[in-house]
Amino acid sequence: MDEKDNGEFIRLDRLLSKAAALSRRDAKRAVSFGRITVDGSIIRSPELKIPSTSTVCFDGKKLIYNENVYLMLNKPAGYVCANDDPKSPNVFELLGDEYKKDELFTIGRLDKNTTGLLIITNNGTAAHFLLSPKRHVKKKYSIKTKFPLTDEDAKAFLEGVDIGEKTLTKTAFLEICEDKFTGYLTITEGKFHQIKRMLDARKNKITALQRVSFGPIFLDGKLALGKYRALTGEEIKALEDTAKI
Ligand code: URA
């Protein structure tokens, strides 16, 4: 295995102490007892530098060792984004046991019945900047409505509508699909129930809402509802560039 030392490599004992919460001493012992595999092979030298993309298992169980965790979840309806509602299942319950759920949070919240792209991270700084109104991060939603969407709606959303806040909503872009009852709405804010309230302001009603993108990240069409995957290196870079951290 390549031993070169750059940001993409990590010492096995360091990785174990981070990902499996082991002391360096216990990490070394676990390695010498043959309990650790790297990409399927038992490794017995704790100081070995391994590519950070390696699959590392401890007693056969895969470890997650990114310093920063970034997951893309295709949120199903019926799940809430906070873990303080005892009556409803929350999105963290959809994640595997390898994640320390008390360290994770969602970048913004989707309503219980909204589906689609939800980014989950342990990087509070990135989340803070991505949610800052100053960053104007675009969020695109696929919408279904009770009544047909009109060009007047699109014009009103461009100019801003009154949803009962101190100021009108910021410029938002509505694309209307041929059937007129479906479309895409892109907003740069994230007020409580924002899209529902924007449609209410137009005397219409949302009947289905799905987030399809958040800044540079697009919902992976291969992810079934309730499934998640780690963001790729490129996606993380694009997200951190957007957050300007
Ligand atoms: N706007 C809403 O009304 N609900 C969401 O879940 C997201 C945006």
Side-chain angles (χ1 to χ4, degrees):
M1 195 173 301
D2 196 339
E3 290 262 358
K4 85 180 138 126
D5 189 8
N6 63 30
E8 287 161 19
F9 286 74
I10 182 167
R11 263 178 71 132
L12 184 56
D13 55 356
R14 178 158 188 273
L15 179 154
L16 290 170
S17 63
K18 285 195 153 287
L22 295 178
S23 65
R24 280 288 172 99
R25 189 160 160 266
D26 286 344
K28 284 188 169 62
R29 289 177 63 164
V31 175
S32 57
F33 288 152
R35 298 171 69 187
I36 306 298
T37 57
V38 176
D39 291 335
S41 308
I42 293 178
I43 298 293
R44 291 191 190 265
S45 57
E47 62 285 350
L48 184 68
K49 288 190 179 112
I50 59 166
S52 53
T53 48
S54 313
T55 299
V56 179
C57 296
F58 183 13
D59 289 341
K61 195 167 164 234
K62 189 174 165 193
L63 296 175
I64 303 294
Y65 58 90
N66 279 344
E67 308 245 333
N68 283 326
V69 174
Y70 290 99
L71 303 174
M72 167 192 299
L73 169 73
N74 187 0
K75 179 190 171 299
Y79 285 77
V80 293
C81 288
N83 50 15
D84 55 5
D85 176 356
K87 283 193 239 111
S88 308
N90 66 63
V91 291
F92 303 103
E93 293 172 31
L94 296 164
L95 306 180
D97 292 338
E98 65 272 37
Y99 293 102
K100 298 191 187 92
K101 293 173 194 169
D102 51 343
E103 291 175 8
L104 295 180
F105 42 88
T106 63
I107 302 189
R109 289 185 178 184
L110 293 178
D111 295 338
K112 187 169 172 180
N113 287 324
T114 302
T115 61
L117 176 64
L118 190 64
I119 300 172
I120 297 176
T121 186
N122 62 353
N123 185 346
T125 313
H128 172 77
F129 285 117
L130 287 163
L131 294 172
S132 158
K134 288 191 202 127
R135 292 286 190 274
H136 309 292
V137 175
K138 285 187 182 147
K139 286 142 276 210
K140 185 169 181 173
Y141 293 82
S142 161
I143 64 174
K144 284 199 171 81
T145 53
K146 183 166 179 193
F147 305 112
L149 293 159
T150 64
D151 291 344
E152 288 71 41
D153 293 330
K155 189 162 174 286
F157 291 152
L158 271 182
E159 288 167 0
V161 290
D162 182 358
I163 58 169
E165 300 280 334
K166 283 193 199 115
T167 53
L168 299 183
T169 53
K170 295 219 169 78
T171 295
F173 298 93
L174 174 66
E175 301 157 57
I176 305 173
C177 297
E178 235 171 69
D179 67 10
K180 308 283 186 205
F181 289 86
T182 54
Y184 292 93
L185 185 55
T186 304
I187 60 174
T188 58
E189 302 169 280
K191 301 228 162 66
F192 181 65
H193 290 339
Q194 170 135 1
I195 295 209
K196 287 177 189 151
R197 288 159 73 199
M198 287 172 74
L199 271 296
D200 286 350
R202 296 296 305 161
K203 310 273 178 279
N204 203 334
K205 198 172 163 30
I206 286 287
T207 57
L209 188 57
Q210 179 204 32
R211 182 152 66 192
V212 293
S213 67
F214 182 99
I217 310 300
F218 291 81
L219 180 63
D220 184 336
K222 293 196 282 294
L223 275 184
L225 278 170
K227 298 291 175 203
Y228 62 93
R229 68 159 171 81
L231 292 193
T232 64
E234 269 177 29
E235 287 170 331
I236 293 172
K237 185 169 180 319
L239 200 63
E240 291 186 344
D241 283 351
T242 305
K244 298 191 180 65
I245 52 170

